[in-house]
Amino acid sequence: MAFEELVLEQIYYPDTRAKFFPGVVYSLLDVMPVILILVGFKFAWDASIKQLEVEELRTSVKESELLFLKSQINPHFLFNNLNNLYSYAIEQSPKTPSIILELSSVLRYMLYDCRAKFVGLGKEIEHLKNFTQLNELQIEERGKVSFQTKHIKDNYEIAPLILSVFIENAFKHSTASQADGIFIDVNISLDDKGCLNFECRNSFLETTNTDKLSHGIGLQNVKKRLQLLYPNAHKMYIQENQNIYYVHLKLMLTQGSI
């Protein structure tokens, strides 16, 4: 301040005042470590904020993609079964009430229980059972359908509607290519380590409507969902041999609070 420079320094430091000046460079060297620390902290903070924003964006894109993939399943299933229901209603079949009941149960699960990213394994298996029974009505006396489960535990979770795509494809391609002799076999088991084994076999004839059996939209959909939800935690094996289409999927499940 002016009082200190003009009065106090003149009285107490008359001979030494302003005789020593270290220079700009030396002055900067004294404060440079502090400046570097502050600048480094600022860059680290900005980088951390940007990385957080990038991770949030990636999560948002992933969730949006999963919702889109999941939404593709429902209309396809619904249109197929409404057509079947219409056919039974036209024929005044006594099975029409059973179809409506099964369809209602399956749609209730798809619309309400499947909003979560993961659901209880027991709920998903129950849905698959209802789903299979609903599709089995299309076959009637034209073949045999088997649905078996083993060691299913409710404390494990699974992504909803992953397995139903394979069952739907089995019915679609078997019924489309065969007038009789249809064979569909579904086996689901869970081992002690939480690995889910899903196996689905179905018969088909090599006709024009099954030429691209392993390249359908539904299968591409489920492959993408598996990559997003179970990276490095799933293995899928698909084989076509002697008019039998075989799918074997292994999923490492996690335990939840359900």
Side-chain angles (χ1 to χ4, degrees), residues 17 31 33 49 71 77 90 99 115 147 162 173 177 190 197 202 215 232 239 247:
R17 181 174 178 267
V31 298
I49 295 298
S71 69
F77 164 80
I90 289 294
I99 299 176
R115 292 180 179 179
F147 185 92
I162 285 282
H173 294 293
S177 63
L190 184 71
N197 281 277
N202 69 274
H215 304 286
N232 303 318
Q239 182 184 40
V247 177

Side-chain angles (χ1 to χ4, degrees), residues 20-250:
F20 175 76
F21 178 66
V24 176
V25 175
Y26 290 102
S27 298
L28 287 177
L29 288 176
D30 288 339
V31 298
M32 187 61 70
V34 177
I35 294 175
L36 291 176
I37 292 174
L38 293 176
V39 171
F41 178 79
K42 172 62 175 174
F43 279 121
W45 178 263
D46 291 344
S48 176
I49 295 298
K50 289 183 179 180
Q51 183 63 29
L52 182 61
E53 291 175 351
V54 170
E55 292 299 327
E56 290 178 350
L57 180 60
R58 287 177 179 173
T59 301
S60 177
V61 170
K62 181 178 178 180
E63 291 177 352
S64 298
E65 188 171 2
L66 284 171
L67 288 174
F68 172 72
L69 291 172
K70 189 187 295 184
S71 69
Q72 289 181 309
I73 300 174
N74 297 353
H76 183 233
F77 164 80
L78 181 60
F79 289 139
N80 283 345
N81 283 278
L82 285 178
N83 287 333
N84 294 332
L85 179 60
Y86 175 77
S87 299
Y88 277 100
I90 289 294
E91 297 173 0
Q92 296 184 347
S93 171
K95 293 183 178 181
T96 303
S98 298
I99 299 176
I100 295 175
L101 186 62
E102 294 289 348
L103 182 59
S104 175
S105 176
V106 171
L107 289 179
R108 187 182 302 111
Y109 179 81
M110 287 183 167
L111 292 175
Y112 297 106
D113 295 336
C114 290
R115 292 180 179 179
K117 187 176 181 179
F118 294 96
V119 298
L121 181 59
K123 284 186 177 182
E124 181 71 9
I125 297 300
E126 185 64 26
H127 160 70
L128 292 175
K129 187 182 297 183
N130 293 332
F131 186 83
T132 302
Q133 290 175 351
L134 178 62
N135 285 279
E136 189 177 358
L137 294 172
Q138 305 175 42
I139 294 179
E140 297 188 351
E141 305 300 325
R142 294 189 294 158
K144 181 180 179 181
V145 177
S146 174
F147 185 92
Q148 301 292 329
T149 61
K150 188 176 181 181
H151 302 311
I152 300 301
K153 299 178 181 178
D154 291 334
N155 59 324
Y156 282 89
E157 293 180 328
I158 186 174
L161 306 180
I162 285 282
L163 305 178
S164 58
V165 174
F166 301 108
I167 298 177
E168 182 180 8
N169 281 343
F171 278 97
K172 179 173 64 176
H173 294 293
S174 291
T175 56
S177 63
Q178 293 179 262
D180 55 19
I182 294 173
F183 165 76
I184 298 174
D185 182 29
V186 179
N187 287 279
I188 307 174
S189 62
L190 184 71
D191 66 19
D192 296 334
K193 296 181 180 180
C195 180
L196 184 76
N197 281 277
F198 172 85
E199 294 180 281
C200 182
R201 294 179 179 85
N202 69 274
S203 58
F204 74 98
L205 297 180
E206 295 181 355
T207 57
T208 54
N209 57 4
T210 58
D211 286 341
K212 297 183 178 179
L213 188 62
S214 60
H215 304 286
I217 295 176
L219 189 58
Q220 295 175 4
N221 185 317
V222 76
K223 285 181 177 179
K224 185 64 174 178
R225 289 188 67 202
L226 286 170
Q227 292 173 2
L228 291 172
L229 291 170
Y230 295 96
N232 303 318
H234 76 278
K235 291 183 179 180
M236 184 164 61
Y237 173 75
I238 297 178
Q239 182 184 40
E240 295 180 48
N241 186 27
Q242 297 180 351
N243 293 336
I244 296 294
Y245 190 72
Y246 173 67
V247 177
H248 184 191
L249 176 64
K250 287 187 175 183

